[in-house]
Amino acid sequence: MAPLRSVAAVACCVNFLLLLTSCAATLVAAGGGGSGACATAGGSETPACRGDSNADQVALLQSGLHVGRRQGRMGREQSSCAALTFTGDCLTVSVGIGTPAQYFDAIADTGSDDLVIPGCHCESCQESEPCFDKSKSSTASVADWGLKLSYGSGDIETRAATDIVSINAVTTVLEDGVMLIEDYQLDSFGPFDGLIGLGVPKNHPLVPQFLPTAGVQRFSLCYQKAGGALEMDVPELSTAMEQIGTLHWGLGLWGISAGSSEVPVFACGADAMTSEGQRTPCGAIPDSGTTYLMGPMSQILVMYASLCDAWERCAAMEGKTDAEKAANFKFMVSACNEWLEDDEGLEEIPSLFWRFGGSNETAQTIELTPWSYIAYLEGHVEGTHTTHQICYPMIGEYEYPTSTSGSIWIAGLPLFYQYKVYFDQTVPMKIGFSEEPCGGCQDGAAKTALLTEQAVPLGGGDGKNITGSPSRRTLAGGIRHATRRKIMTLSKTPRMPDFNISEPL
């Protein structure tokens, strides 16, 4: 498991200002004693770790749910859809725990592994936080061990619990897999409902992961300003690429260009293959728990300069060096209220083209339009109570160098705002991108009406990308899918990634 990532993601939706680092996980006995010795080095537990009554209870729950889930799949052979809510900096999904179910709006996070929920016995949790009350669930049992996670800014202590967990129609028993927060001492923390980790399945996890335990082989995430969807049991995507990550969902990144897929790349090209044994120039982690696109500052500087060169309004400003052009780009974007009449006008800002590759030598170039990576930030006019909005590129610095995959980019919410992102947990595991509109979980006329609103007439432009398929700006028949056409509004402090950068991809 990856406790550094899984519990770091609780910072989402809570105005977490610090980038947490140096997290380590250790098994601790909840009340002293010797229960911590129940976990072996391989992550499994000896029979003495659990009483017979608890094992019988888990077996009974699993047996009942297995029959119910098998019957649920028979006759539908279709995905189970759970609505995603954009809260101003991250995506949440409703998770039910216990009998009767207690519901939590948990962060849907492909960059972490575990289900982490505040427990009602948490000593330092805020009164406004929802919490799981084990006494109100007839199927709950709590272990005598937990995980202590240490950060540079403080610690989080959890207790492992067993109970029924469900997301919409997908239900399973997580045996010692509901991590209840009992205490935390972090410098900056606020109320939250919890998180549900959707990270890459681990071979021998200490804490079971929800989707693999529930038997879900494939899932997808996408969202738009009006909402989004987590779809489980989705069909296989034929264009999906075999992932190259071992600890995280990851793909090779073979170049980034601005304005067109046919111009020279400004980062992650062949010249980035500098180490012996390096497999890819750069790597990328599709992380729904991170608000921005995050990468090394040296590449961000050139990215902004390249965007400025490809943007007529910015190129007309004085600027010779990359630093000057980058400053001009940020200034011109921030001043969008002076030249942007409506969301349609954002199209004059160039797109970013990302060339991804998998371990099976498959490749796909995707286009991130400005609607995906430019957002409104809300702020206050100094000295007044008046609020105002400025435009800001959803791009930030994150240094994650590796010897085998080069610099790692964290592809956050802009990726999920532009595409439906598929994750295939079968072997070999795959990642794919679909331009199918994100229609949420509406049925019938409601979904038809929503998709109709997402397609608006547009004339002109060939809009071809490197694969020969139409770009998102101009689709066949002169129709633009405007699923991501509305500019996002970030009303909270962006959620930052917190991976262990000493580990490989």
Side-chain angles (χ1 to χ4, degrees), residues 79-128:
S79 64
S80 174
C81 187
L84 293 176
T85 300
F86 179 55
T87 63
D89 63 345
C90 62
L91 304 175
T92 63
V93 63
S94 180
V95 178
I97 305 174
T99 307
Q102 302 173 43
Y103 289 95
F104 300 85
D105 293 328
I107 303 155
D109 186 10
T110 59
S112 64
D113 302 332
D114 306 328
L115 174 61
V116 182
I117 299 292
C120 287
H121 291 84
C122 178
E123 299 177 0
S124 53
C125 296
Q126 301 182 19
E127 293 184 0
S128 60

Side-chain angles (χ1 to χ4, degrees), residues 382-398:
E382 187 175 357
T384 72
H385 296 289
T386 304
T387 60
H388 72 295
Q389 289 183 327
I390 64 170
C391 291
Y392 193 82
M394 295 174 63
I395 301 169
E397 179 183 5
Y398 193 66

Side-chain angles (χ1 to χ4, degrees), residues 194-205:
L195 67 92
I196 179 74
L198 305 173
V200 63
K202 304 302 188 292
N203 291 330
H204 301 287

Side-chain angles (χ1 to χ4, degrees), residues 119-206:
C120 287
H121 291 84
C122 178
E123 299 177 0
S124 53
C125 296
Q126 301 182 19
E127 293 184 0
S128 60
E129 291 179 346
C131 62
F132 180 73
D133 189 340
K134 61 184 179 182
S135 67
K136 295 182 179 180
S137 174
S138 61
T139 49
S141 63
V142 179
D144 57 359
W145 63 270
L147 291 176
K148 179 178 180 179
L149 297 106
S150 299
Y151 299 85
S153 58
D155 299 331
I156 295 177
E157 294 187 8
T158 66
R159 177 85 68 93
T162 297
D163 212 333
I164 298 172
V165 179
S166 63
I167 298 180
N168 202 340
V170 177
T171 303
T172 191
V173 174
L174 282 185
E175 184 177 359
D176 291 341
V178 181
M179 305 307 294
L180 301 178
I181 295 180
E182 293 194 320
D183 190 22
Y184 58 70
Q185 302 86 32
L186 295 176
D187 295 338
S188 178
F189 215 66
F192 79 110
D193 276 26
L195 67 92
I196 179 74
L198 305 173
V200 63
K202 304 302 188 292
N203 291 330
H204 301 287
L206 174 63

Side-chain angles (χ1 to χ4, degrees), residues 273-312:
M273 299 285 287
T274 58
S275 302
E276 185 178 354
Q278 187 172 344
R279 297 181 299 167
T280 62
C282 296
I285 298 174
D287 181 11
S288 62
T290 293
T291 309
Y292 283 1
L293 301 170
M294 309 289 293
M297 179 53 69
S298 60
Q299 295 183 12
I300 292 174
L301 182 68
V302 183
M303 174 182 286
Y304 286 162
S306 299
L307 287 168
C308 186
D309 285 338
W311 182 14
E312 183 178 354

